[in-house]
């Protein structure tokens, strides 16, 4: 299902986890925020030593990521796998990679939390793999904030930090 970034972050803070998150889009702020939160808060430090894996798309393949995701955690309830720069996975956009990914989507390991960060690029919503991802996992579109909404975003951000800002000040910061 398609979910907004702040909703995903709120669910993570409430310890409500899903086996697969696919973050995509041109705005990397929320991708970094969600992936860093997951890395730092889902597992305790001792658990993270054995159960936290950070992979980079240019250094690995989709088959290797999903092979890691099929393992079971060691002395922890979950294992967390974060795939940064997932748009660079060599076999993701190929037929073989899509086939492997579809098979994993059908039989996800509930004790694995896999987070794909597909940066600077949005998935093509017309492709069947995108529809499968939206149907079987959490698809998080991270779109750029429109220029006319920046001051509104600044006000919301400041409010989240439990501070106050005058609307005119937010407009000045946006400019």
């Amino acid at each position: 299902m398609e979910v907004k970034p702040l909703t995903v972050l709120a669910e993570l803070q409430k310890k409500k986890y899903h086996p697969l998150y696919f973050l995509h889009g041109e705005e990397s702020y929320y991708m970094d925020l969600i992936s860093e939160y997951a890395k730092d808060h889902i597992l305790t430090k001792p658990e993270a030593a054995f159960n936290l894996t950070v992979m980079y798309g240019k250094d690995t393949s989709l088959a290797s990521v999903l092979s890691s995701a099929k393992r079971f955690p060691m002395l922890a309830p979950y294992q967390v796998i974060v795939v940064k720069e997932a748009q660079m996975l060599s076999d993701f956009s190929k037929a073989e990679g899509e086939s492997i990914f579809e098979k994993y989507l059908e039989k996800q390991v509930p004790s694995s939390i896999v987070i794909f960060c597909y940066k600077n690029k949005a998935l093509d919503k017309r492709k069947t793999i995108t529809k499968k991802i939206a149907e079987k996992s959490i698809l998080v579109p991270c779109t750029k904030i429109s220029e006319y909404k920046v001051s509104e975003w600044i006000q919301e951000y400041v409010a989240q930090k439990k501070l106050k800002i005058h609307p005119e000040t937010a407009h000045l910061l946006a400019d």
Side-chain angles (χ1 to χ4, degrees), residues 84-114:
K84 295 189 176 233
E85 300 169 0
Q87 74 280 4
M88 298 181 88
L89 286 166
S90 59
D91 55 349
F92 180 76
S93 56
K94 295 180 182 170
E96 180 184 326
E98 286 184 8
S99 172
I100 293 169
F101 202 50
E102 282 183 27
K103 286 178 187 171
Y104 181 78
L105 286 170
E106 292 300 323
K107 292 187 179 180
Q108 298 177 42
V109 178
S111 60
S112 292
I113 299 170
V114 185

Side-chain angles (χ1 to χ4, degrees), residues 3-10 23 30-31 33-34 140-143:
V3 181
K4 292 183 178 183
L6 290 176
T7 305
V8 170
L9 197 60
L23 312 160
Y30 287 116
M31 284 185 216
L33 190 67
I34 291 168
V140 186
C142 299
T143 55

Side-chain angles (χ1 to χ4, degrees), residues 5 7 12 19 32 67 71 73 77 80 83 85 114 122 125 128 132 135:
T7 305
L12 290 175
D32 294 338
S67 174
R71 293 182 307 186
V80 177
V83 184
E85 300 169 0
V114 185
K125 291 185 178 185
T128 56
K132 279 272 193 195
E135 180 184 315

Side-chain angles (χ1 to χ4, degrees), residues 20-138:
L20 195 133
Y21 295 89
F22 202 101
L23 312 160
H24 71 106
E26 297 175 359
E27 183 57 61
S28 63
Y29 172 75
Y30 287 116
M31 284 185 216
D32 294 338
L33 190 67
I34 291 168
S35 63
E36 291 302 314
Y37 185 88
K39 281 174 28 183
D40 296 341
H41 294 91
I42 292 176
L43 301 170
T44 63
K45 287 192 182 202
E47 291 172 343
F50 293 107
N51 298 298
L52 175 64
T53 307
V54 179
M55 300 176 158
Y56 288 86
K58 65 181 179 179
D59 298 331
T60 191
S61 67
L62 183 59
S64 145
V65 170
L66 298 179
S67 174
S68 295
K70 290 176 185 174
R71 293 182 307 186
F72 289 98
M74 180 182 258
L75 303 171
Y78 301 102
Q79 74 161 333
V80 177
I81 300 170
V82 178
V83 184
K84 295 189 176 233
E85 300 169 0
Q87 74 280 4
M88 298 181 88
L89 286 166
S90 59
D91 55 349
F92 180 76
S93 56
K94 295 180 182 170
E96 180 184 326
E98 286 184 8
S99 172
I100 293 169
F101 202 50
E102 282 183 27
K103 286 178 187 171
Y104 181 78
L105 286 170
E106 292 300 323
K107 292 187 179 180
Q108 298 177 42
V109 178
S111 60
S112 292
I113 299 170
V114 185
I115 302 170
F116 286 92
C117 299
Y118 197 84
K119 288 188 175 182
N120 303 321
K121 210 174 182 182
L123 290 175
D124 187 353
K125 291 185 178 185
R126 298 171 295 180
K127 286 190 167 186
T128 56
I129 190 68
T130 306
K131 291 174 185 171
K132 279 272 193 195
I133 293 170
E135 180 184 315
K136 300 284 184 179
S137 69
I138 303 298

